Amino acid sequence: MKQKIIELGKKAKIDIEIFEKTQEKVDINTMNGKEKLFQITNVTSYRIKAIKNEISIEYMTDNLKNPNLIIDNIQNIFKLQENKNKNFLCQGNLKHKLEQKETLDYNKIKQDFLNLIDLKKEYPLILNIETTYSHYINRYGINNKECSLTDETYYHEYGVAITIEKMDKKKVSFINFYSENYDFKSFYHYVREKLEYLIIKLNGDNCTTKKYNIILKNNAVALILNTFANSFQSKEMEQNVSILSGKRTQKIFGDKITIVEDPKNGIEKRYFDTEGTITYEKELVKNGIFQLEINNLEYATKQNVKATGNAYGVNNLYIKSGDNSEQELIQKLNNGIIIDEIYGLHSGIDKKNGTISLHAEGLVVENGKITNGLEMIILSTNFFELFSNVMEIGKEYSHNLLCVSAPSLLLKNITIVGKK
Amino acid sequence: MKRQQIKEILEQLLSTGGDFAEVFLEEKQVKSFNFIDQMLEKVSMFHVNGYGLRLAKKENTYYASSNDFRKKKIEQIISELRKNVNDKSIYKNISLKRRKDYKKEQISSFTDEEIKTKLKQLDEKIRKKEDRISQVNLIVENTIQNVTIANHTGLYVKEYRVLSRFSIILYLKDQEKSSRISFSKGASSNLDFLNTIDFDKEIDCLIKQGLDKLYAKPCIGKEMPVIIAPGFGAVIFHEACGHAMEASSVAENSSVLAQELNHKIATDKVTIIDDGSLKDEWGSSFIDDEGKPTQKNILIENGVLKRFLIDELNNRKMKQTTTGSGRRESYLYAPTSRMNNTYLKAGNNTFEQMIQDIKLGLYAVKMGGGSVATETGEFNFGVDLGYMIRDGKIAECVTSASLIGNTKEILQEVEMVGNDFSLGTGYCGSISGSVPVTVGQPTIKIGKILVGGEK
């Protein structure tokens, strides 16, 4: 069918490129040691890029059964769309296959998650443990009249919501974790670390509204970086909708911040983007200076620069780590607050003016030691202030997102809003 | 899929002893017009056609989704699902009723060219009104969705749905200052709903808000009384108690409201209703995604928790009545209980009554979304634009503050409820995907809540 559409396009003087994604997924959800949901997914979708007189349009479908209708729809879009930016089909061929595919026993995996209920024996404060697990296998392919690319990736997503209770007071922690190969041991270790912090926060206090030195934990840094990831896109910058519009080559963060994107070496390894541009490692920010925008073929052509392979967004975007262990950061903080959870990013962050106002939780550090928990507080800062006030950088990366990771940051003078 | 094939799938699913089986078919076409940089920059079309098969035994659910309609693939999927149940077959011969169809007029009187022209005219109108506008983004989206649902009880229904949405996003700039402000409206009707929008009024209001936001100060951070504007301000209730009343968490006893049925959980001024049957509203449909008719559900009445939102399978634990609230984003998800159009009933307080005694507070005019942990009741939502209240008067404009609170505390802080009711549209994300919802309320006064800010 793909070839039929490419041929029909050729007859209509339209160059057609078809990006195909097939996803197979297995989901296992449990609640308090009982299976709740088992789900399998098998879906194929197509993104058709059509170019006529160097202008392109996009058409998405999960069904190629009616090629004539598809071409008709494409022709209609050409009549309406006014974007005259030039675009091209991908060139070159690549075939990336998984080097070693793991053999998975889903019954064993299910049992691992059911057995998390055993944590209740060691931590009697645990009220509920709800888990989610997903295994993804993705196959990507691009075909046009001249080239063919294929890629196959897989990864695992783990989640757990642990609720603890003591004397009618409840706290909950939502833990997300990703890995390329099945790694329940690392996930379990991470869950225990989070649980220890959660128990401290159960008797959490509040604080006075003022500026503090804080440690922003790696999972929280990653969430904030992820929210602003598309701000580095040329398209958003040129359309003046990005916070970074007009800031090319400027110093935007502190010296210690270097931001890298390395799609081939992420948890999910991507060798080409949805337009077939081969991905590569690149520094977007070096020592605080904004070095490089990311783009798609349209904007690479428009700006006469190299295409960066970011038509779909980012993959394996990270802040370069430092040398400090989590314990060393706490000692260097000496007196201040650790923010270990943030919520409400979709509404508490203004991506244009950079304002960050987020529901948060954390821990109090006094004389280099954690002394108490903090809850119902608000992290109040700004995108530029956050990444400029960096004193030290941790060495451990976060695992809570697929495409973005970060180390913990020791920051000075950040406003925390509290009730006291 | 034809009737006979659906019947056979149901029978095969139940052949190893399952006690619930369902087939969900979906065909969807989404068309969107993105107008930016003074041109129709992108027209997108997205076509989806897939199915979800659900099998359950007691409290366990097994689900599969695919868009591969080949017989061999369907058989393979059924086989994978059936492996999870090993018991004597209860249902051998499914008899599907005559299919009941629910229809909406899906085709608009607007042609694509007319939409394009309208967007062009709006863009020109907006840009002429204010020099400090640096970018205008207009989006029109139209979704035509046909769903067919059949289950082991013989239920067999089909709904022809349509959703339309219009958004304006304005970017303003004055030297180093910049702001972004947006407006959107949606309906469960075709694009003729554009004729119901007073564009002049909305544009003028949006530009004024955008300019106020451009020069806005950071908000003051502390606990204070808050007056929340009508319409989308009701996101406070959507987050504070709406999710906690969904069976998804109540059935597992993990919701903070799970044990509060028939208890007084809010002030007398609070009556909250969820109604998926409201005509043409963004969160409405004739039937839910389990095939049950949607209905009006009074959730909280004069402060007393009266009922939860309950879907079919969660009701196995709850043993109450289902409420026509089973929803899912698409065939890729198993449904669960979700909100539709959730609103606070109007009262009779005036704005003057609300503001007069406030020494220092916030008037929250434009809200973003929010989130909640239903286990603890801790919730948050964003204020995109507000004004400080000082000594009973509206004062300086402030921006971008989060408000955070706890379900049980905040419901007791609803001191006054106005009479200027309106609805706002948005999307809600949860375990069965992202679904269109509306929230609604008149102006309300909250006694105290923690407001994020700078000092």
Side-chain angles (χ1 to χ4, degrees):
Chain A
M1 273 306 167
K2 283 186 278 188
Q3 273 311 117
K4 173 101 192 215
I5 292 171
I6 291 172
E7 278 160 23
L8 278 174
K10 200 171 170 183
K11 277 187 194 157
K13 295 192 171 55
I14 302 172
D15 287 328
I16 297 279
E17 179 177 279
I18 300 177
F19 173 80
E20 177 179 348
K21 178 182 173 183
T22 298
Q23 184 174 87
E24 292 173 19
K25 188 161 94 103
V26 172
D27 299 281
I28 299 170
N29 294 1
T30 73
M31 180 73 173
N32 290 333
K34 290 184 185 162
E35 189 181 9
K36 199 171 144 185
L37 173 71
F38 175 80
Q39 177 167 338
I40 50 179
T41 303
N42 185 302
V43 171
T44 299
S45 59
Y46 304 92
R47 185 191 293 257
I48 299 173
K49 188 173 181 180
I51 297 191
K52 193 171 172 179
N53 302 325
E54 293 183 320
I55 312 292
S56 82
I57 66 104
E58 203 172 75
Y59 180 85
M60 291 175 286
T61 180
D62 62 359
N63 185 343
L64 298 181
K65 278 185 204 152
N66 202 335
N68 288 307
L69 181 60
I70 290 172
I71 296 294
D72 282 346
N73 284 335
I74 286 172
Q75 296 271 40
N76 286 336
I77 296 174
F78 269 122
K79 285 177 196 162
L80 286 168
Q81 197 168 286
E82 295 175 304
N83 183 356
K84 300 284 183 246
N85 287 338
K86 295 193 188 328
N87 212 327
F88 302 95
L89 301 185
C90 78
Q91 288 150 5
N93 293 285
L94 180 140
K95 199 170 193 128
H96 173 245
K97 201 91 175 100
L98 293 167
E99 284 164 14
Q100 187 186 8
K101 203 167 170 178
E102 13 167 38
T103 310
L104 294 172
D105 177 352
Y106 289 118
N107 283 324
K108 191 208 171 282
I109 291 172
K110 182 168 71 179
Q111 204 53 53
D112 285 342
F113 283 87
L114 290 170
N115 288 345
L116 274 177
I117 197 67
D118 291 342
L119 280 170
K120 271 192 176 185
K121 294 174 194 161
E122 196 180 337
Y123 299 93
L125 292 176
I126 292 176
L127 182 65
N128 289 320
I129 298 181
E130 184 169 3
T131 75
T132 58
Y133 162 79
S134 301
H135 178 224
Y136 293 81
I137 298 173
N138 295 321
R139 292 184 189 91
Y140 302 102
I142 295 185
N143 292 97
N144 63 39
K145 60 186 177 188
E146 286 170 1
C147 82
S148 164
L149 297 91
T150 59
D151 192 5
E152 192 174 291
T153 71
Y154 57 82
Y155 60 90
H156 302 259
E157 180 183 8
Y158 318 68
V160 64
I162 298 187
T163 308
I164 59 174
E165 185 182 34
K166 188 175 179 184
M167 290 167 58
D168 287 340
K169 174 86 191 288
K170 285 183 192 170
K171 290 284 314 162
V172 63
S173 182
F174 300 101
I175 302 164
N176 289 321
F177 188 89
Y178 286 85
S179 67
E180 183 185 353
N181 293 307
Y182 186 62
D183 187 2
F184 189 79
K185 199 172 163 186
S186 297
F187 168 63
Y188 185 73
H189 179 73
Y190 183 59
V191 168
R192 292 183 72 106
E193 274 180 16
K194 298 288 264 180
L195 193 45
E196 294 289 338
Y197 272 8
L198 187 67
I199 289 169
I200 297 171
K201 288 187 289 185
L202 187 56
N203 298 314
D205 200 354
N206 213 284
C207 67
T208 317
T209 300
K210 64 175 194 170
K211 288 195 186 292
Y212 294 85
N213 288 350
I214 71 169
I215 292 171
L216 190 61
K217 285 286 286 177
N218 52 17
N219 54 302
V221 179
L223 286 170
I224 292 173
L225 181 62
N226 183 55
T227 303
F228 286 99
N230 278 338
S231 299
F232 292 93
Q233 286 275 4
S234 290
K235 180 174 179 174
E236 293 216 356
M237 290 183 60
E238 197 161 299
Q239 288 180 340
N240 208 17
V241 305
S242 164
I243 191 175
L244 296 176
S245 296
K247 295 199 185 317
R248 289 181 175 108
T249 71
Q250 285 184 23
K251 190 154 195 303
I252 57 172
F253 300 141
D255 292 342
K256 291 182 189 291
I257 296 292
T258 293
I259 299 177
V260 176
E261 200 226 3
D262 185 12
K264 286 195 182 88
N265 291 307
I267 294 169
E268 186 189 22
K269 294 169 174 19
R270 296 292 299 267
Y271 274 65
F272 52 83
D273 72 359
T274 50
E275 291 180 316
T277 305
I278 306 300
T279 60
Y280 64 96
E281 184 180 355
K282 50 188 104 54
E283 276 178 345
L284 307 191
V285 174
K286 185 171 179 159
N287 301 332
I289 297 174
F290 183 16
Q291 305 263 92
L292 182 70
E293 299 161 32
I294 53 178
N295 59 38
N296 56 16
L297 283 175
E298 178 189 352
Y299 275 78
T301 308
K302 195 175 181 195
Q303 293 175 357
N304 198 22
V305 298
K306 181 180 176 185
T308 63
N310 291 96
Y312 57 69
V314 297
N315 190 46
N316 195 27
L317 180 78
Y318 62 91
I319 295 173
K320 260 191 165 169
S321 61
D323 300 319
N324 298 280
S325 68
E326 299 301 291
Q327 197 46 46
E328 281 166 345
L329 284 178
I330 292 173
Q331 274 160 12
K332 286 180 181 177
L333 175 63
N334 199 25
N335 292 293
I337 290 174
I338 300 172
I339 298 292
D340 74 324
E341 299 290 355
I342 50 177
Y343 308 102
L345 283 92
H346 59 292
S347 55
I349 290 184
D350 187 316
K351 289 194 282 186
K352 180 57 182 165
N353 69 23
T355 307
I356 294 170
S357 178
L358 297 170
H359 176 188
E361 287 182 359
L363 303 114
V364 178
V365 173
E366 290 169 322
N367 301 317
K369 286 189 166 47
I370 293 172
T371 55
N372 203 355
L374 277 177
E375 56 174 8
M376 296 301 283
I377 55 178
I378 298 176
L379 170 69
S380 186
T381 180
N382 178 282
F383 178 58
F384 296 112
E385 177 185 73
L386 190 76
F387 292 115
S388 297
N389 288 17
V390 179
M391 295 195 287
E392 296 286 348
I393 299 185
K395 64 181 176 190
E396 291 172 29
Y397 280 109
S398 56
H399 296 279
N400 58 317
L401 293 175
L402 177 65
C403 301
V404 176
S405 64
S408 299
L409 302 177
L410 174 57
L411 303 167
K412 63 181 180 190
N413 296 337
I414 300 292
T415 302
I416 303 294
V417 177
K419 286 185 185 178
K420 277 190 176 173
Chain B
M1 266 186 210
K2 298 252 184 298
R3 182 197 187 88
Q4 181 59 28
Q5 189 181 10
I6 294 172
K7 172 186 148 71
E8 285 168 7
I9 290 171
L10 289 169
E11 287 167 353
Q12 284 163 30
L13 281 171
L14 294 166
S15 61
T16 54
D19 54 22
F20 175 97
E22 176 194 79
V23 173
F24 180 86
L25 300 170
E26 180 187 18
E27 192 171 358
K28 182 160 72 181
Q29 181 173 278
V30 182
K31 196 174 197 176
S32 70
F33 300 77
N34 189 45
F35 197 98
I36 192 170
D37 280 342
Q38 298 175 279
M39 64 171 165
L40 186 55
E41 190 236 8
K42 191 169 182 181
V43 177
S44 302
M45 277 186 75
F46 186 89
H47 186 252
V48 158
N49 187 11
Y51 57 91
L53 306 180
R54 193 159 58 136
L55 170 66
K57 176 74 175 179
K58 293 186 183 168
E59 289 164 9
N60 293 338
T61 307
Y62 310 98
Y63 191 77
S65 60
S66 177
N67 55 9
D68 186 341
F69 281 85
R70 290 174 299 171
K71 193 171 176 220
K72 198 173 171 184
K73 187 69 192 176
I74 295 174
E75 284 171 359
Q76 185 194 349
I77 285 174
I78 292 172
S79 171
E80 282 296 323
L81 288 178
R82 277 198 313 214
K83 273 185 203 169
N84 297 285
V85 181
N86 189 5
D87 206 341
K88 213 164 129 187
S89 171
I90 308 169
Y91 298 95
K92 286 193 168 48
N93 187 20
I94 305 292
S95 175
L96 289 178
K97 293 174 187 148
R98 189 184 162 86
R99 196 180 79 194
K100 186 163 183 185
D101 287 2
Y102 299 85
K103 284 186 183 174
K104 272 230 156 181
E105 179 50 63
Q106 293 177 328
I107 307 302
S108 164
S109 59
F110 279 101
T111 62
D112 289 345
E113 277 296 333
E114 285 168 343
I115 300 278
K116 179 175 168 179
T117 304
K118 190 155 192 81
L119 292 175
K120 216 180 233 336
Q121 287 168 349
L122 282 171
D123 179 76
E124 281 167 9
K125 184 181 268 196
I126 292 169
R127 286 176 186 272
K128 270 196 189 120
K129 284 185 181 264
E130 176 53 57
D131 291 337
R132 286 165 285 186
I133 292 173
S134 59
Q135 183 61 275
V136 178
N137 188 191
L138 306 170
I139 303 166
V140 168
E141 192 172 274
N142 180 243
T143 303
I144 291 175
Q145 182 196 37
N146 300 334
V147 299
T148 305
I149 305 157
N151 71 27
H152 69 285
T153 66
L155 176 95
Y156 186 27
V157 290
K158 183 168 183 171
E159 183 173 5
Y160 297 82
R161 297 173 178 167
V162 60
L163 283 174
S164 301
R165 196 166 197 222
F166 170 73
S167 305
I168 306 175
I169 308 168
L170 283 191
Y171 296 83
L172 296 98
K173 191 171 163 63
D174 185 357
Q175 295 179 337
E176 287 304 308
K177 293 185 192 293
S178 61
S179 72
R180 176 191 185 279
I181 198 97
S182 64
F183 158 83
S184 70
K185 187 164 182 178
S188 59
S189 68
N190 62 43
L191 282 170
D192 287 353
F193 104 101
L194 292 174
N195 293 327
T196 66
I197 302 176
D198 184 344
F199 286 106
D200 287 329
K201 178 180 156 219
E202 299 299 347
I203 288 166
D204 287 341
C205 179
L206 196 65
I207 292 174
K208 184 195 177 300
Q209 288 177 346
L211 287 170
D212 281 354
K213 191 176 172 184
L214 189 61
Y215 303 107
K217 307 261 184 293
C219 192
I220 292 175
K222 63 180 289 190
E223 207 168 31
M224 63 178 83
V226 175
I227 294 176
I228 304 178
F232 201 71
V235 72
I236 185 174
F237 296 106
H238 178 98
E239 300 302 346
C241 56
H243 282 295
M245 294 189 284
E246 291 168 339
S248 341
S249 52
V250 176
E252 303 292 351
N253 202 26
S254 62
S255 162
V256 69
L257 296 179
Q259 299 300 320
E260 302 292 345
L261 199 59
N262 298 319
H263 294 181
K264 194 151 192 299
I265 59 166
T267 66
D268 290 343
K269 292 192 177 275
V270 176
T271 292
I272 293 178
I273 294 162
D274 184 81
D275 189 350
S277 64
L278 287 176
K279 190 175 187 300
D280 293 344
E281 289 300 339
W282 174 245
S284 296
S285 55
F286 290 118
I287 54 174
D288 73 358
D289 292 327
E290 292 185 310
K292 303 287 168 63
T294 54
Q295 63 186 43
K296 178 177 177 178
N297 297 302
I298 300 174
L299 304 177
I300 299 174
E301 191 166 32
N302 302 325
V304 177
L305 179 58
K306 303 298 276 185
R307 79 184 317 178
F308 296 114
L309 294 171
I310 307 175
D311 59 281
E312 190 66 42
L313 289 185
N314 277 310
N315 199 34
R316 289 185 167 196
K317 286 188 175 163
M318 295 181 66
K319 300 189 191 333
Q320 296 173 31
T321 321
T322 58
T323 53
S325 309
R327 301 189 74 191
R328 61 183 109 191
E329 176 183 331
S330 71
Y331 71 91
L332 294 171
Y333 298 87
T336 190
S337 49
R338 304 287 296 274
M339 290 174 271
N340 286 81
N341 307 299
T342 317
Y343 60 92
L344 174 77
K345 210 170 161 193
N348 51 20
N349 292 116
T350 64
F351 186 80
E352 290 66 38
Q353 285 174 319
M354 294 182 197
I355 199 173
Q356 64 193 13
D357 293 329
I358 295 177
K359 200 162 164 52
L360 178 68
L362 176 69
Y363 175 38
V365 168
K366 215 161 173 70
M367 257 58 64
S371 64
V372 63
T374 54
E375 294 85 348
T376 58
E378 288 176 7
F379 70 90
N380 59 77
F381 65 102
V383 175
D384 194 28
L385 182 73
Y387 298 86
M388 296 310 300
I389 299 170
R390 296 180 187 277
D391 297 321
K393 290 189 172 49
I394 302 288
E396 75 272 25
C397 181
V398 292
T399 185
S400 307
S402 269
L403 272 56
I404 67 174
N406 183 284
T407 299
K408 289 186 176 177
E409 286 169 10
I410 212 66
L411 290 174
Q412 300 293 352
E413 291 287 346
V414 181
E415 290 182 355
M416 294 191 194
V417 176
N419 55 13
D420 52 345
F421 180 88
S422 72
L423 286 165
T425 61
Y427 280 97
C428 171
S430 185
I431 56 171
S432 63
S434 177
V435 295
V437 293
T438 66
V439 294
Q441 64 169 41
T443 306
I444 63 168
K445 180 184 178 184
I446 300 291
K448 65 174 190 285
I449 189 169
L450 185 64
V451 177
E454 294 249 324
K455 52 181 177 182

